[in-house]
Amino acid sequence: LTRIHGGAYKEESDDKNVPIHLREVLFLDEKIQMARYALDHYINENDTIMIDSSTTCYQLAKMILLSALHVTIITNSLKIMQLYDANNGNSKLIAIGGQYRRKSCSFVGEYALEEIGSFYADKCFISTSVLDKKHGLIDSSALECYVHKKYLKNSKNQYILADHTKFDDHADCVVSDWTDIHTVITDCDPGEEWRELFINKEVDLKF
């Protein structure tokens, strides 16, 4: 049994992600802060964006749908699909289907990857499990890792939303090195070593 602030859960050998019902209440203020920054600075009228099933990106989707922006959202998140159904605003939704993963309320697997591969977005916004200096973006779930790889590949600009707990944590599945990452948005200064790394890798850091 793994204990975290706000609850406990049983890890699976091939999927160490914290269940979504626990994640959505952790660091909620920080997630709202990062989502608001992303919306205010990086999302424009008529953008086509890919958004993952993370709880931070859920907050971003909620803000988009409550805004007056005309945005096309491509997502594999069931929660964002349900949010859209309740209040679609001016946005358009493209829902990615596939194998349902209850732990993240998302669709994954071969069919999901094939569907994502048929689109090319202006931007993607994702939140992986870990940010690592040497390896880049890392996930705790192989299934989500493949989805994230596809989002990064099939978008022009890549934005990572990551709160302070994700820097230098541990996970198993490498999503991407820093080569193809445009911007990292976080909730506070990650420290001098990280600032220098992002300068060297030509990744914009915003906090």
Side-chain angles (χ1 to χ4, degrees), residues 81-139:
M81 295 173 199
Q82 292 170 331
L83 191 64
Y84 178 87
D85 192 47
N87 181 2
N88 65 10
N90 292 325
S91 296
K92 175 182 175 184
L93 179 77
I94 297 174
I96 300 297
Q99 173 190 337
Y100 182 62
R101 180 171 177 260
R102 182 172 286 107
K103 209 169 189 181
S104 58
C105 292
S106 65
F107 296 96
V108 295
E110 254 181 69
Y111 187 75
L113 298 178
E114 187 178 326
E115 284 199 340
I116 295 167
S118 65
F119 299 101
Y120 188 67
D122 298 302
K123 298 152 187 172
C124 75
F125 295 86
I126 68 171
S127 182
T128 59
S129 305
V130 170
L131 277 67
D132 180 83
K133 292 186 185 78
K134 181 178 180 181
H135 299 290
L137 307 178
I138 310 179
D139 264 329

Side-chain angles (χ1 to χ4, degrees), residues 126 128 130-138 152 158-162 166-168 174-185 190 193-205:
I126 68 171
T128 59
V130 170
L131 277 67
D132 180 83
K133 292 186 185 78
K134 181 178 180 181
H135 299 290
L137 307 178
I138 310 179
L152 293 173
Q158 301 78 20
Y159 299 86
I160 313 305
L161 282 66
K166 297 191 175 188
F167 288 80
D168 297 312
V174 176
V175 176
S176 169
D177 61 21
W178 296 110
T179 307
D180 298 320
I181 306 305
H182 186 277
T183 300
V184 170
I185 302 168
E193 285 186 18
W194 275 104
R195 292 197 306 272
E196 288 181 0
L197 180 139
F198 288 136
I199 290 169
N200 292 334
K201 299 293 184 183
E202 298 183 338
V203 175
D204 287 340
L205 171 66

Side-chain angles (χ1 to χ4, degrees), residues 1-3 8 17-18 23 33 35 37 39 58 74 90 96 118 121 129 132 140 149 183 193 200 204 206:
L1 196 67
T2 302
R3 297 193 179 280
N17 267 160
V18 179
R23 284 189 286 117
Q33 170 194 332
Y37 190 93
L39 178 68
Y58 174 83
I74 301 168
N90 292 325
I96 300 297
S118 65
S129 305
D132 180 83
S140 299
K149 282 176 181 283
T183 300
E193 285 186 18
N200 292 334
D204 287 340
K206 303 296 182 183

Side-chain angles (χ1 to χ4, degrees), residues 2-10 17-27 31 55 103:
T2 302
R3 297 193 179 280
I4 59 171
H5 179 72
Y9 68 101
K10 186 176 180 181
N17 267 160
V18 179
I20 195 166
H21 72 277
L22 294 175
R23 284 189 286 117
E24 61 191 0
V25 297
L26 290 172
F27 304 109
K31 290 171 182 177
T55 51
K103 209 169 189 181

Side-chain angles (χ1 to χ4, degrees), residues 36-59:
R36 172 56 62 187
Y37 190 93
L39 178 68
D40 290 345
H41 293 84
Y42 297 115
I43 298 179
N44 303 311
E45 187 74 0
N46 298 318
D47 270 348
T48 295
I49 62 174
M50 292 179 171
I51 302 184
D52 73 4
S53 59
S54 65
T55 51
T56 304
C57 285
Y58 174 83
Q59 295 299 327

